[in-house]
Amino acid sequence: MKNKARSIRFKSLFFVFTLITSIGSWHSAQAGTLTEIQQRRKLIVAVKDNLPLLGFRDRNGNLQGLEIDIARKLATEIFNNPDAVELVPVANQDRLKVAIQGTVDLTIARVTITPTRSRVVDFSRAYYSDGTAIITTQVNITKNADLIGKKVAVLNNSTTIATLQFITPTAQLVGVNSYRQAQELLTTGKVVAIAADRSLLLGWSKTTPNYQILPDKLSIEPLGIVIPKGLQYDPLRELVDRSIQRWKADGWLQQRIQYWGLQ
């Protein structure tokens, strides 16, 4: 257990070191303070465009999803105009970088709030609780315990691996390089299940009727809005936090979560 704890601490420190030392090679920009955003008359937000239900493109190429709704709602809070926002799709590895670099004002792109990440960026209060879950096509698999000795696909180098090893240590993990590869293995029967973010699996289950999500989450992961570090960004962070708190109180946030089937 001590060696495992040391390994986790080392990986966390390595992540912070790698991120900070790489900043110097980026073109330096300055994310907008709340006053600058108001003067610019536009909020710039990094989002995902390939995560069904959270941030994705519809058949017409328009960005949709819970996180897109949140970005537009923040533009309404600041400008009373949901269209006063520029949505910038980003890859997973760039979600924190663009906020630190100053390319965007905020990142709303399924970023889990963690102590390690909080060393390099600030977070809003959580707007949604995601987590690792299991999806299967096998009718005889109804709970995590049914995975004993079974093959489960999981993305290589993902934190899901450690979660599965802790919760279902007897499952046989099969590493994949993409979710498409995982789905192919599930379709051909080479694995009996896939472990991934529950929000992603919910999106799959909407379009593939024989996909069944096991009821228990393997982990709970609060998602937050990424805000650049610095005292100059405190008014923006406070506005974002107040907005999320109000959306929870008046039911708007829960209504959008239910609308997108993320309940």
Side-chain angles (χ1 to χ4, degrees):
M1 290 296 291
K2 289 183 179 179
N3 289 337
K4 184 176 181 180
R6 285 196 201 98
S7 176
I8 293 172
R9 285 197 298 270
F10 175 79
K11 289 178 180 178
S12 297
L13 291 171
F14 180 77
F15 167 82
V16 175
F17 176 78
T18 301
L19 191 56
I20 291 176
T21 53
S22 62
I23 292 174
S25 64
W26 303 336
H27 172 70
S28 180
Q30 188 72 25
T33 64
L34 180 56
T35 298
E36 290 165 344
I37 292 168
Q38 290 168 331
Q39 292 172 345
R40 185 203 301 147
R41 301 298 301 169
K42 179 175 66 175
L43 180 66
I44 304 174
V45 181
V47 297
K48 292 296 294 177
D49 65 355
N50 59 356
L51 287 181
L53 309 185
L54 287 179
F56 64 101
R57 294 190 184 276
D58 63 17
R59 293 179 180 177
N60 298 319
N62 299 315
L63 287 166
Q64 302 287 336
L66 174 65
E67 293 179 333
I68 307 303
D69 289 348
I70 290 173
R72 296 192 185 283
K73 187 70 168 176
L74 282 172
T76 302
E77 296 285 346
I78 300 172
F79 305 112
N80 197 31
N81 179 4
D83 295 322
V85 59
E86 179 180 341
L87 303 172
V88 182
V90 292
N92 280 350
Q93 63 268 26
D94 296 328
R95 292 174 298 173
L96 300 188
K97 289 180 182 179
V98 291
I100 299 170
Q101 182 183 8
T103 305
V104 300
D105 303 315
L106 303 170
T107 293
I108 313 176
R110 204 209 166 274
V111 183
T112 304
I113 302 169
T114 68
T116 299
R117 289 171 173 165
S118 295
R119 296 180 184 182
V120 292
V121 296
D122 279 336
F123 283 99
S124 70
R125 64 177 64 226
Y127 58 83
Y128 179 68
S129 290
D130 205 352
T132 302
I134 300 286
I135 202 166
T136 183
T137 57
Q138 306 290 315
V139 296
N140 61 327
I141 297 178
T142 61
K143 55 187 182 299
N144 294 337
D146 294 333
L147 297 173
I148 294 175
K150 302 292 196 307
K151 292 183 178 180
V152 180
V154 60
L155 278 185
N156 288 319
N157 303 315
S158 69
T159 57
T160 303
I161 295 172
T163 300
L164 285 170
Q165 289 173 335
F166 181 76
I167 302 295
T168 59
T170 58
Q172 299 180 44
L173 305 187
V174 178
V176 295
N177 295 321
S178 69
Y179 287 125
R180 182 181 296 276
Q181 182 184 357
Q183 289 179 293
E184 289 173 355
L185 293 178
L186 184 62
T187 299
T188 57
K190 294 179 180 178
V191 300
V192 301
I194 301 171
D197 299 331
R198 190 169 187 274
S199 57
L200 175 67
L201 300 183
L202 282 168
W204 290 358
S205 68
K206 303 293 181 184
T207 57
T208 311
N210 64 328
Y211 278 7
Q212 301 296 324
I213 300 177
L214 300 190
D216 296 330
K217 289 182 180 179
L218 297 176
S219 65
I220 303 296
E221 300 174 2
L223 305 188
I225 296 173
V226 177
I227 304 160
K229 271 193 177 296
L231 294 176
Q232 67 271 36
Y233 303 113
D234 280 355
L236 177 61
R237 178 180 50 77
E238 291 165 2
L239 181 145
V240 171
D241 275 344
R242 286 196 307 270
S243 297
I244 294 173
Q245 185 175 24
R246 184 168 61 255
W247 301 341
K248 289 182 177 180
D250 66 19
W252 179 85
L253 190 55
Q254 185 62 25
Q255 186 273 329
R256 299 316 296 169
I257 289 172
Q258 290 176 341
Y259 175 85
W260 290 110
L262 285 160
Q263 182 69 11

